[in-house]
Amino acid sequence: LTGTSREQRAFQYVLAHAIPGDPHHILQTFDQWCYHCEHLSCVGPDKGRIVERVLLERAPLRVLELGTYCGYGTVLLAQGLPPGARLYTIEGDPRHAAVAEKVIRLAGFSEQTVELIVGPSEEVIPHLREKHGLIKADLVFMDHWKRCYLRDLRLLESHQLLAEGATILADNVLFPGAPHFLQYAKTCGKYHCKVHRASLEY
């Protein structure tokens, strides 16, 4: 009825209530909106703690996020990066990317720290090295279409974009589920797998 999308409405709320340049407060404001106003498929605070723990343990210098959506996960990742690290995030929907860009910059992250790339992941991944300067990713966070998880993991492998000992963190592999991705990760012999139990966001 308003002519604006849920994502845009959420951003307007964040813009009105969050402290600019304070990533933690921006995430909290998003959470308030999602709990009390409208549901968004953001990572949310519960699964967010898992992401924060992995960042703390791994201290990755090059991070790739597949599925920017509104920028919630991007801000979550960016605030946990060690000094000098860089985050590349890919979003296929230009409307979501437009919202995410504003959220990321509102949180205080420059293009030197966070680069938002708009386009389908299967088209962007093969050109990450020559077009965007990503030599190898230390951590990959998958939170886009579940059916794309396996295809994109194999693309990252075939283009040698995974650093030795890289961590792949994939959301919602049990529900809605990414069974082919999970089967491959468990049986291909390249990865040690751990499933983190969590509730659905909000």
Side-chain angles (χ1 to χ4, degrees):
L1 289 174
T2 61
T4 59
S5 67
R6 265 192 311 178
E7 294 78 20
Q8 288 171 315
R9 290 195 291 273
F11 174 68
Q12 290 304 323
Y13 180 84
V14 169
L15 196 58
H17 296 91
I19 301 166
D22 185 336
H24 183 68
H25 195 257
I26 283 169
L27 295 178
Q28 280 186 325
T29 310
F30 257 116
D31 293 335
Q32 286 172 344
W33 172 266
C34 293
Y35 277 124
H36 303 297
C37 301
E38 292 180 283
H39 178 270
L40 293 174
S41 298
C42 301
V43 179
D46 293 339
K47 289 190 285 188
R49 281 188 280 275
I50 297 168
V51 175
E52 287 170 337
R53 192 168 69 241
V54 170
L55 283 168
L56 201 59
E57 288 169 2
R58 302 292 179 188
L61 287 175
R62 295 292 174 267
V63 177
L64 175 64
E65 180 186 34
L66 303 178
T68 317
Y69 189 41
C70 290
Y72 183 106
T74 316
V75 171
L76 180 70
L77 289 164
Q79 75 170 357
L81 292 177
R86 187 163 169 76
L87 168 60
Y88 303 81
T89 182
I90 301 171
E91 175 52 49
D93 188 325
R95 294 163 303 176
H96 293 161
V99 172
E101 181 81 44
K102 294 177 206 163
V103 170
I104 293 161
R105 305 310 166 211
L106 185 69
F109 298 109
S110 69
E111 289 183 17
Q112 280 66 49
T113 304
V114 179
E115 182 178 350
L116 173 58
I117 305 161
V118 185
S121 54
E122 73 272 20
E123 292 177 16
V124 173
I125 288 170
H127 303 288
L128 279 172
R129 185 172 285 117
E130 65 268 26
K131 272 194 178 178
H132 303 280
L134 174 60
I135 307 300
K136 288 183 187 291
D138 303 303
L139 179 106
V140 179
F141 182 47
M142 294 187 168
D143 195 17
H144 56 328
W145 295 106
K146 312 310 156 212
R147 65 175 183 270
C148 301
Y149 280 17
L150 178 56
R151 180 202 69 195
D152 287 351
L153 176 60
R154 300 193 81 156
L155 267 177
L156 290 167
E157 290 174 348
S158 65
H159 287 87
Q160 299 179 329
L161 286 163
L162 298 175
E164 193 174 337
T167 301
I168 314 293
L169 196 56
D171 194 17
N172 297 349
V173 292
L174 297 180
F175 182 85
H180 299 300
F181 166 84
L182 212 50
Q183 176 73 9
Y184 176 76
K186 285 178 175 177
T187 60
C188 72
K190 300 174 188 174
Y191 305 100
H192 299 287
C193 291
K194 181 179 179 182
V195 176
H196 299 268
R197 298 283 169 181
S199 62
L200 284 175
E201 53 279 343
Y202 310 111

